[in-house]
Amino acid sequence: MFTKIPCGSSGRHSSIRHAHLQTKSNMSAPAAPVQIPGFYYDTAKKKYFRLLPHHAAPPSAAFYSTSSVQKAQKEATREWAELADANRRKSRIRHSPLKSNPYVRATLYREMGGVREELAESRREVYARSLKCRPVYNPHDPTKKISAFATDFCDGAKRVAVGTGGGVLKGIPLTTDKDGQMEMDDNGAHNLICSWSQVTSISISTRRLLVATFLGNGHNPSIYMTRLPSPSSTLHFSNTLFEIQSILHHPTKSLWTSTASPHSDGALVLGSSGSAILLTDHPHDVTQQHFRTRSDVFAVAFHATDPSVFLAGSRDGAMRLFDIRNGSGGTGVTAARPDITVRHSSTITHVRALDASNILVNGLQGAAMYDLRFPHPASPSSSFAEPTRAARAYPRLVRNDGYMIDLGFDVNQELGIMAIANQEHRVELWSIATGERLDGGDIGKKKFSSPCKGLKFEGGMEPMGLWAIDGSQMEFWQY
């Protein structure tokens, strides 16, 4: 056993203290402690202790014996050996590309017959990373910002209708160059109409009726309707301009949006201030039916399976479900105000019907998925003023500073991807199934010249990709 060295005046003790101070003073390159016969240096306490015979060692922790020192040295040797072995094993680890490379992950899941959802998520990541920008349209006048567009790829036709913030509506043929890249030539554009306010939306029905809405901005809002020619004919448009004030019993201050039914009836719905307007296409006429709401309608969508039902999302965050089979009695105005089906947490800007029961709602402060089979509780109810419980919430999409209602948004239902433009001049791709942001590759890194006002996924037999508005230009992000 050993005891702690007392601080005495003897030469032996002074030499020990001097050696200890020399060791502590060497701070630049710590060296092994000086080995003093009969003493043990504790590296944890940084002190020398006298070694004593085992039988004379008191039970205090300040005393050491030869056996306890040997045991401590063996333990230290074992710990160092384990650390060295762990470092050696770590150096041999080869990181699998499954986490960082979705191409390898998708291939492996497919070959091994993996979980269907894992394979689908890998496909989404592959799609997002593979998008490459192809500039398609660059107008002669770069000051005319594009505010809305619609593509016409029906039966081999390739046309794009473009509307600007200044009220100009054009029909532009889409051609393919020698390298197979699509391009829109402004020299071949057909000016359809020049109005007095911004073009807010353009929709093409299944019966090839093109409808464009104009905001108003101090004037009466208006709609433009024209029959698109057959793909085999030359590009020619017959047009008529309708003043909404002159054909509706209820005054309309603004027109915000429009959408076409995916069903064969060729119907369209417009969103306006305080109402939703249904356009029904007949062989020789287009009739209109007005559905009043308590707030401005910013988003409309038809039901995925029922052609008689459409949804209207409004400024107050409420989404209402309308059934057009409830006729208006010939007045053109439907007096019934249906109950709120969904109450979103903020102003609703976009609505998409995913299937017979699920709808995707995007608003100024975030997005969520709701189930129509569980509608919002009717009034009076303690939870009537609260947001509807979402079937799937997207916490990472919450935005507290949203104020723009005309940003681009679209959904690729085949892949389960939603594209969302934000106020920071960027476009983000998100997984509908997981709510995680997809690594968008080039599109996720690009900063647009202005907030993107329009997005549209393209699929089918045409080149797969995503249309995007970049100021006065049109881009196609090809897959």
Side-chain angles (χ1 to χ4, degrees), residues 99-116:
K99 183 176 181 180
S100 60
N101 194 328
Y103 302 92
V104 176
R105 189 161 59 249
T107 302
L108 180 62
Y109 287 151
R110 184 177 63 250
E111 295 295 332
M112 297 182 62
V115 180
R116 182 177 181 180

Side-chain angles (χ1 to χ4, degrees), residues 151 360 422:
T151 59
L360 188 63
N422 58 34

Side-chain angles (χ1 to χ4, degrees), residues 383-407:
S383 58
F384 176 74
E386 300 295 328
T388 306
R389 183 176 180 179
R392 178 168 292 151
Y394 300 108
R396 297 190 61 188
L397 274 170
V398 174
R399 303 177 294 272
N400 297 323
D401 57 348
Y403 63 91
M404 299 183 67
I405 64 172
D406 56 349
L407 296 175

Side-chain angles (χ1 to χ4, degrees), residues 66-94:
T66 305
S67 60
S68 64
V69 170
Q70 292 177 351
K71 184 177 180 181
Q73 291 176 344
K74 288 181 180 180
E75 182 67 18
T77 303
R78 185 187 62 81
E79 292 178 356
W80 279 107
E82 289 181 354
L83 180 61
D85 184 64
N87 292 334
R88 184 169 59 256
R89 291 175 180 270
K90 187 176 180 179
S91 64
R92 295 177 180 177
I93 294 177
R94 297 183 61 186

